[in-house]
Amino acid sequence: MRVKFSKMHGLGNDFVMLDGISQRIRLSPDKIRRIADRYLGIGCDQVLLVESPRDPDADFRYRIFNADGSEVENCGNGARCFARFVRDRRLTGKKRLKVETSGGLLQLKLMDGDQVSVDMGAPVLEPEQIPFNADRCAESYLLEVHGETFTIGAVSMGNPHAVLLVENVQEAPVTQLGPLIEVHPRFPQKVNVGFLQINSRSQAQLRVFERGVGETRACGTGACAAMVYAHQRGLLDDQVGIQLPGGNLTIHWSGPGQPVTMTGPATTVFHGHIIL
Ligand SMILES: N[C@H](CCC[C@H](N)C(=O)O)C(=O)O
């Protein structure tokens, strides 16, 4: 099967975008892994498949697959690239879009230049909905990892995130600790792991070891989850700049029950065909 694709990224978190509306596309975990393979395929962190919506309120549905072939609930950087992709492929003329994901309905706004703003919905803090095994809902939790105890936040943005505060994000044990927490038994669906260095009440730096991928250059849902955790602890204001290795996201959240808004770029790199 010969399939058209677009290669895109959000701050270096890179994607293969597939239009499953104009093309008949059948994916499997093996096909996803091959597309994502940086030697045997195109290479990407996630594969994003655009489909017609099931929800009558939505303009589109988009499905998110990590490089390991797993299908997941949400992808912040991917949502911005999705909006740019459907607009550039003339699948819509709208600047405001509602898109259905398995993690819920997102509202997107295409802005001037390469910027896209996404209403990511309200964060979920109830442990069993994250899911995270804990006796009760708390601002932070103690997590034992191979005999060492860490303080973490646990937040879902449709997908699960653990967040650790660090003094120096450049020196954080992302590659050592990230994979251990990713598969920690208290996270029954595994977890994305964020390392957050707070520089002021309106600026922080973040690195993320992503579930199903490894460390990425940026993670949109990770930036939202990290901001929510630090905001809950009274460490960040309602509007912050989160600096990731690939660039900066602006996150806004005014408190429990309110939606998190994320604004950042979406970049198209090239178009092509792949034989699946
Ligand atoms: N690895 C994530 C999905 C992609 C999230 C990230 N790329 C983003 O921009 O939010 C997970 O397994 O939940």
Side-chain angles (χ1 to χ4, degrees):
M1 175 176 43
R2 190 172 185 270
V3 173
K4 282 191 287 189
F5 71 87
S6 292
K7 184 73 187 331
M8 299 185 73
H9 72 86
L11 301 177
N13 179 200
D14 65 338
F15 310 106
V16 168
M17 311 292 304
L18 301 174
D19 168 0
I21 296 175
S22 322
Q23 303 179 105
R24 255 177 62 79
I25 297 176
R26 292 281 168 271
L27 293 176
S28 66
D30 282 344
K31 285 183 180 175
I32 299 283
R33 286 188 285 267
R34 192 154 58 75
I35 292 170
D37 191 301
R38 297 191 187 278
Y39 295 95
L40 305 178
I42 304 164
C44 63
D45 292 331
Q46 279 90 24
V47 175
L48 305 182
L49 175 63
V50 178
E51 296 182 327
S52 300
R54 294 176 179 169
D55 179 335
D57 281 345
D59 299 296
F60 295 95
R61 177 174 183 239
Y62 97 107
R63 298 172 67 188
I64 302 141
F65 302 89
N66 282 323
D68 70 354
S70 59
E71 182 165 6
V72 292
E73 311 87 346
N74 202 359
C75 178
N77 290 319
R80 300 197 313 277
C81 289
F82 151 81
R84 175 99 20 234
F85 176 71
V86 294
R87 177 94 167 156
D88 292 353
R89 285 183 62 85
R90 292 181 173 66
L91 293 172
T92 180
K94 290 183 170 181
K95 284 204 159 190
R96 288 176 178 272
L97 294 165
K98 284 186 184 173
V99 63
E100 183 189 343
T101 69
S102 62
L105 199 63
L106 305 179
Q107 308 206 41
L108 305 123
K109 186 169 73 175
L110 282 145
M111 301 163 74
D112 296 339
D114 64 355
Q115 296 293 303
V116 181
S117 186
V118 188
D119 173 340
M120 299 288 287
V124 170
L125 301 168
E126 188 51 50
E128 65 189 32
Q129 293 170 32
I130 292 175
F132 172 54
N133 297 336
D135 300 335
R136 57 181 178 77
C137 186
E139 255 182 21
S140 60
Y141 304 90
L142 295 179
L143 190 75
E144 186 165 332
V145 184
H146 289 204
E148 211 175 333
T149 301
F150 297 90
T151 298
I152 66 161
V155 181
S156 171
M157 292 304 301
N159 59 344
H161 290 268
V163 185
L164 293 87
L165 296 181
V166 294
E167 285 302 311
N168 181 327
V169 74
Q170 298 311 327
E171 294 167 7
V174 177
T175 50
Q176 301 87 341
L177 195 53
L180 299 180
I181 296 179
E182 179 198 6
V183 296
H184 196 285
R186 288 182 65 184
F187 289 97
Q189 291 178 13
K190 303 200 288 185
V191 70
N192 299 284
V193 189
F195 298 81
L196 183 69
Q197 172 187 327
I198 293 177
N199 297 326
S200 73
R201 294 193 57 80
S202 61
Q203 200 276 340
Q205 289 169 259
L206 178 70
R207 288 171 67 188
V208 182
F209 188 93
E210 283 198 33
R211 175 178 63 168
V213 184
E215 183 175 5
T216 57
R217 292 185 51 72
C219 180
T221 52
C224 295
M227 186 271 185
V228 165
Y229 171 50
H231 186 287
Q232 284 275 84
R233 295 190 56 174
L235 302 171
L236 288 177
D237 289 340
D238 289 4
Q239 176 124 338
V240 301
I242 301 285
Q243 184 68 36
L244 298 118
N248 194 71
L249 289 174
T250 301
I251 311 291
H252 182 274
W253 186 57
S254 54
Q258 298 302 309
V260 182
T261 304
M262 169 194 61
T263 303
T267 307
T268 300
V269 184
F270 62 89
H271 307 288
H273 291 90
I274 182 168
I275 308 301
L276 285 183

